[in-house]
Coordinates of all heavy atoms in Angstrom, one line a residue:
M1 N -22.4 1.5 2.3 CA -22.4 0.1 2.5 C -22.3 -0.1 4.1 O -21.5 0.6 4.7 CB -21.3 -0.5 1.8 CG -21.3 -2.0 1.8 SD -20.1 -2.7 0.7 CE -20.7 -2.3 -0.9
K6 N -16.8 -6.5 14.7 CA -16.7 -7.8 15.4 C -15.5 -7.7 16.4 O -14.5 -7.0 16.2 CB -16.5 -8.9 14.5 CG -17.6 -9.1 13.5 CD -18.7 -9.9 14.1 CE -19.7 -10.3 13.0 NZ -20.7 -11.2 13.6
N10 N -8.3 -8.7 21.6 CA -8.6 -7.5 22.5 C -9.0 -6.3 21.7 O -9.3 -5.2 22.3 CB -7.4 -7.2 23.3 CG -7.2 -8.2 24.4 OD1 -8.1 -8.9 24.9 ND2 -5.9 -8.4 24.7
I14 N -13.4 -4.9 11.3 CA -14.4 -4.9 10.3 C -14.0 -5.6 9.1 O -12.8 -5.8 8.9 CB -14.8 -3.4 9.9 CG1 -13.6 -2.7 9.2 CG2 -15.3 -2.6 11.1 CD1 -14.0 -1.5 8.5
I16 N -13.8 -5.7 5.0 CA -13.9 -4.8 3.9 C -14.5 -5.6 2.7 O -14.0 -6.6 2.3 CB -12.5 -4.2 3.5 CG1 -11.9 -3.4 4.6 CG2 -12.6 -3.4 2.2 CD1 -10.5 -3.0 4.4
L26 N -6.7 -3.8 -2.7 CA -6.3 -4.3 -1.4 C -6.4 -5.8 -1.4 O -7.2 -6.4 -2.1 CB -7.3 -3.8 -0.3 CG -7.3 -2.3 -0.1 CD1 -8.4 -1.9 0.9 CD2 -6.0 -1.8 0.4
S30 N -2.2 -6.1 2.9 CA -2.0 -4.7 2.5 C -2.0 -3.8 3.7 O -2.7 -4.1 4.7 CB -3.2 -4.3 1.6 OG -3.2 -5.0 0.3
I34 N -5.5 4.3 9.4 CA -6.7 4.6 10.0 C -6.6 5.8 10.8 O -5.7 6.0 11.6 CB -7.1 3.4 10.9 CG1 -7.2 2.1 10.2 CG2 -8.5 3.7 11.6 CD1 -7.4 0.9 11.0
E35 N -7.6 6.7 10.6 CA -7.6 8.0 11.4 C -9.0 8.4 11.8 O -10.0 8.0 11.2 CB -6.9 9.1 10.6 CG -7.4 9.3 9.2 CD -6.6 10.3 8.4 OE1 -5.4 10.0 8.1 OE2 -7.2 11.4 8.1
R38 N -12.8 14.0 13.0 CA -13.9 14.6 13.6 C -15.1 13.7 13.8 O -16.2 13.9 13.4 CB -14.4 15.8 12.8 CG -13.3 16.9 12.8 CD -13.7 18.1 12.0 NE -13.9 17.7 10.6 CZ -13.5 18.3 9.6 NH1 -13.0 19.5 9.7 NH2 -13.7 17.9 8.3
R40 N -15.4 10.6 12.5 CA -15.6 9.7 11.4 C -14.3 8.8 11.4 O -13.2 9.3 11.6 CB -15.7 10.3 10.1 CG -17.0 11.2 9.9 CD -17.1 11.8 8.6 NE -15.8 12.3 8.0 CZ -15.6 12.5 6.8 NH1 -16.5 12.2 5.9 NH2 -14.4 12.9 6.4
V42 N -11.7 7.0 9.1 CA -11.3 7.0 7.7 C -10.2 6.0 7.6 O -9.2 6.0 8.3 CB -10.8 8.4 7.4 CG1 -10.3 8.5 5.9 CG2 -11.8 9.5 7.6
P45 N -5.9 3.3 1.9 CA -4.7 2.4 1.6 C -3.5 3.2 1.7 O -3.4 4.4 1.4 CB -5.0 2.1 0.1 CG -6.4 2.4 -0.2 CD -6.8 3.5 0.8
K46 N -2.4 2.6 2.3 CA -1.2 3.2 2.5 C -0.4 3.2 1.2 O -0.3 2.1 0.5 CB -0.3 2.5 3.6 CG 0.9 3.3 3.9 CD 1.6 2.7 5.1 CE 2.8 3.5 5.5 NZ 3.5 2.9 6.6
Q48 N 2.3 2.9 -1.5 CA 3.6 2.2 -1.6 C 4.6 3.2 -2.2 O 4.3 4.0 -3.0 CB 3.4 1.0 -2.6 CG 2.5 0.0 -2.1 CD 2.9 -0.7 -0.8 OE1 4.1 -0.9 -0.6 NE2 2.0 -0.9 0.1
D50 N 7.2 4.6 -4.4 CA 7.5 4.5 -5.9 C 8.9 5.0 -6.1 O 9.2 6.2 -5.9 CB 6.5 5.2 -6.7 CG 6.7 5.2 -8.2 OD1 7.3 4.2 -8.6 OD2 6.4 6.2 -8.8
L51 N 9.8 4.1 -6.6 CA 11.2 4.5 -6.7 C 11.4 5.8 -7.6 O 12.1 6.7 -7.3 CB 12.1 3.4 -7.3 CG 13.5 3.7 -7.5 CD1 14.2 4.1 -6.2 CD2 14.2 2.5 -8.1
N60 N 20.3 19.0 -5.7 CA 21.7 19.4 -5.2 C 21.6 19.7 -3.7 O 22.7 19.7 -3.0 CB 22.2 20.5 -6.0 CG 22.6 20.1 -7.4 OD1 23.0 18.9 -7.6 ND2 22.6 21.0 -8.3
I63 N 21.3 15.8 -1.8 CA 22.1 14.6 -2.2 C 23.4 14.6 -1.4 O 24.0 15.7 -1.1 CB 22.4 14.6 -3.7 CG1 22.9 13.3 -4.1 CG2 23.3 15.7 -4.1 CD1 22.8 13.0 -5.6
G65 N 27.4 13.1 -0.8 CA 28.5 12.6 -1.6 C 28.8 11.1 -1.3 O 28.2 10.5 -0.5
E66 N 29.9 10.6 -1.9 CA 30.3 9.3 -1.6 C 30.9 9.2 -0.2 O 31.4 10.2 0.3 CB 31.4 8.8 -2.6 CG 30.9 8.8 -4.0 CD 32.0 8.3 -5.0 OE1 33.1 7.9 -4.5 OE2 31.8 8.5 -6.2
P72 N 36.0 -5.4 4.5 CA 34.9 -6.4 4.5 C 34.6 -6.8 5.9 O 35.4 -6.9 6.8 CB 35.5 -7.6 3.7 CG 36.7 -7.1 3.0 CD 37.1 -5.9 3.7
E76 N 32.9 -11.4 2.0 CA 32.8 -10.7 0.7 C 34.1 -11.0 -0.1 O 35.2 -11.1 0.5 CB 32.7 -9.2 0.9 CG 31.4 -8.7 1.5 CD 31.5 -8.5 3.0 OE1 32.5 -9.1 3.6 OE2 30.7 -7.9 3.6

Side-chain angles (χ1 to χ4, degrees):
M1 190 172 291
K6 299 278 188 173
N10 290 330
I14 63 167
I16 298 173
L26 296 174
S30 294
I34 302 174
E35 54 188 62
R38 295 178 296 222
R40 296 183 318 159
V42 178
K46 189 169 182 185
Q48 298 296 321
D50 178 31
L51 180 59
N60 289 332
I63 194 167
E66 295 180 15
E76 296 94 338

